[in-house]
Amino acid sequence: QFGFAYGWERANWFATVAVPAGQVPGWRRTNWFDAVHEECRAVEENAGLFELSAFSKFEINGDGALDMLDSLGSNKPPEKDGGLCLTYVLTPEGGIGSEFTVTRLARDRFYLVSAAAARRRDHDLLINAAPRDGWSATVTDVTEDWGVLALAGPHSRDILSSITTTNLSNDAFPWLSAQEVSVAGVPVRAIRVSYVGELGWELHHRIEDQAMLYDALLAAGEPYGMKPCGVYAMNSLRLEKGYRGWGVDLTTEKTPLESGLHPFVKLEGRGFVGKEATLARSRENPGWRMMLLSVDTADTDVFGLHPVLKDGEVVGVTSSGGYGHRVGMSLALAYLRTDVPMDAGLSISILTEMFSAEILERVPYDPTNARMRA
């Protein structure tokens, strides 16, 4: 069952489960709920295969590429070839303008991935950042040249090992690293990262090779119970890890510190657009903090900007939400006033009804990232 992202058609969910009688599309849990549950269960117990080619993709090449990236965003670029990091490009006011996963292919060659809907604005941002005195850096939009398949789950290493000669052990291919490999005879830029909180790899490949690679992965995954999965399942899985989504949870209205992205903001000895504004807002008016909430609801979930209340007073707003199928609870990411205590009794208004909610001190699924590091 297809949806779209910035002109790319992509699977929302796979209709492999019979839809209960009388269940129709709507704002409450509906005809795709059970199918998404099965996809999430496959990712947790076996493996799932996601098609994510809608991502925006860019290459930055040249002697000045490293310096350009160091001054571009909130995080330092990777120090070693094959390393990767997550960085945020800020507005002059300190808001979050863009989010990039940065992979270092060589000292003078980097591969950047960002949100599908940000393609044109991110391209403009990068080419405007490239020209500097003494720099040599070129930016190339390779979005339509590269496809992306993501393999995730406890059996993902077994599946991938059956169709590549590359050593995929933790020592040879650690978490948060990338290598150029061959998978089923297809050249692949394999990146060991996961947006769903499981052991896994993103497999970036020439778009013309996608059908061959997809078929090979489906065949290799069949003995392990792997399922094709859609973006509805991915949304459920990322919420259980508290992962933010650009354009919904992360916007120009909030700083990365308000959004809980402290590990990706490296301030010492570096200068980048929005740094001083972010620090000033944090000192003078901290205002907001993003928290993950559990919501006590039976047949509906947070799906947008719902008010969060304490004793009848609005103290925050949700940014995204859904049902966490691995943990069996309804979840929501929300910006709350910083004076709201962690043990506050909260409620959320959804479809004119009030539902109780509580702040989670830790993400409910694998808070130590043991499964991704496995």
Side-chain angles (χ1 to χ4, degrees):
Q1 304 296 309
F2 283 98
F4 71 93
Y6 204 66
W8 291 79
E9 192 174 39
R10 64 181 184 182
N12 284 339
W13 58 285
F14 289 80
T16 55
V17 177
V19 177
Q23 204 172 59
V24 297
W27 292 112
R28 300 183 185 275
R29 294 176 190 165
T30 184
N31 59 326
W32 44 262
F33 187 82
D34 292 336
V36 170
H37 175 82
E38 292 302 313
E39 292 174 26
C40 293
R41 189 173 71 171
V43 173
E44 179 185 13
E45 298 177 356
N46 302 308
L49 183 62
F50 301 83
E51 199 281 324
L52 303 174
S53 299
F55 280 145
S56 302
K57 314 167 200 81
F58 309 94
E59 289 189 359
I60 300 179
N61 300 294
D63 294 340
L66 183 62
D67 290 333
M68 171 187 162
L69 289 170
D70 192 36
S71 67
L72 180 72
S74 63
N75 204 356
K76 296 174 65 175
E79 297 179 351
K80 297 180 179 179
D81 295 353
L84 66 138
C85 76
L86 190 63
T87 194
Y88 294 91
V89 180
L90 308 185
T91 67
E93 296 76 27
I96 299 171
S98 298
E99 176 186 60
F100 291 101
T101 300
V102 179
T103 301
R104 175 168 164 162
L105 305 177
R107 191 187 186 284
D108 60 353
R109 186 167 168 242
F110 292 81
Y111 179 60
L112 277 62
V113 178
S114 66
R119 179 181 176 186
R120 297 302 182 195
R121 65 190 307 280
D122 282 353
H123 187 224
D124 278 352
L125 184 154
L126 292 172
I127 61 176
N128 287 326
R132 293 288 188 277
D133 293 340
W135 286 12
S136 173
T138 60
V139 177
T140 307
D141 183 344
V142 295
T143 299
E144 295 179 26
D145 299 329
W146 288 83
V148 183
L149 298 174
L151 175 65
H155 285 305
S156 58
R157 180 180 282 117
D158 301 319
I159 294 167
L160 199 54
S161 292
S162 70
I163 49 176
T164 184
T165 58
T166 300
N167 185 346
L168 302 179
S169 67
N170 266 325
D171 290 338
F173 205 141
W175 183 44
L176 301 180
S177 68
Q179 295 183 31
E180 305 276 1
V181 305
S182 175
V183 178
V186 174
V188 167
R189 185 173 291 163
I191 303 175
R192 190 175 164 191
V193 68
S194 171
Y195 194 49
V196 299
E198 302 285 354
L199 171 68
W201 282 262
E202 285 184 5
L203 306 175
H204 296 244
H205 50 276
R206 305 301 296 185
I207 196 72
E208 58 267 24
D209 293 331
Q210 185 165 81
M212 182 191 310
L213 181 61
Y214 191 77
D215 287 346
L217 286 164
L218 285 180
E222 186 174 5
Y224 295 94
M226 185 186 77
K227 285 182 176 292
C229 299
V231 293
Y232 285 2
M234 177 164 283
N235 186 61
S236 169
L237 298 164
R238 67 98 183 174
L239 282 167
E240 294 170 324
K241 295 290 291 180
Y243 292 157
R244 283 74 163 137
W246 180 87
V248 285
D249 306 308
L250 308 177
T251 72
T252 56
E253 295 180 352
K254 300 293 188 293
T255 72
L257 300 182
E258 290 173 318
S259 304
L261 301 173
H262 299 70
F264 309 108
V265 181
K266 302 296 192 297
L267 298 169
E268 190 172 347
R270 303 180 60 243
F272 53 88
V273 173
K275 173 183 174 180
E276 296 307 322
T278 296
L279 291 174
R281 286 170 62 172
S282 180
R283 288 191 302 266
E284 298 164 9
N285 183 22
W288 302 95
R289 60 177 177 175
M290 173 163 274
M291 303 298 294
L292 185 64
L293 311 179
S294 65
V295 188
D296 186 12
T297 175
D299 68 342
T300 188
D301 302 292
V302 163
F303 55 83
L305 302 174
H306 304 276
V308 183
L309 298 91
K310 177 180 180 293
D311 299 328
E313 178 187 3
V314 175
V315 296
V317 61
T318 64
S319 52
S320 67
Y323 189 79
H325 290 273
R326 289 178 300 194
V327 298
M329 65 174 69
S330 186
L331 299 166
L333 282 164
Y335 283 101
L336 303 178
R337 288 192 336 215
T338 52
D339 60 356
V340 176
M342 290 294 292
D343 60 352
L346 302 175
S347 58
I348 298 177
S349 175
I350 310 173
L351 300 176
T352 73
E353 298 179 65
M354 300 301 297
F355 299 93
S356 61
E358 64 178 70
I359 300 171
L360 299 176
E361 294 191 9
R362 302 202 307 172
V363 298
Y365 190 75
D366 188 28
T368 63
N369 292 330
R371 293 177 71 91
M372 288 194 291
R373 298 173 186 269

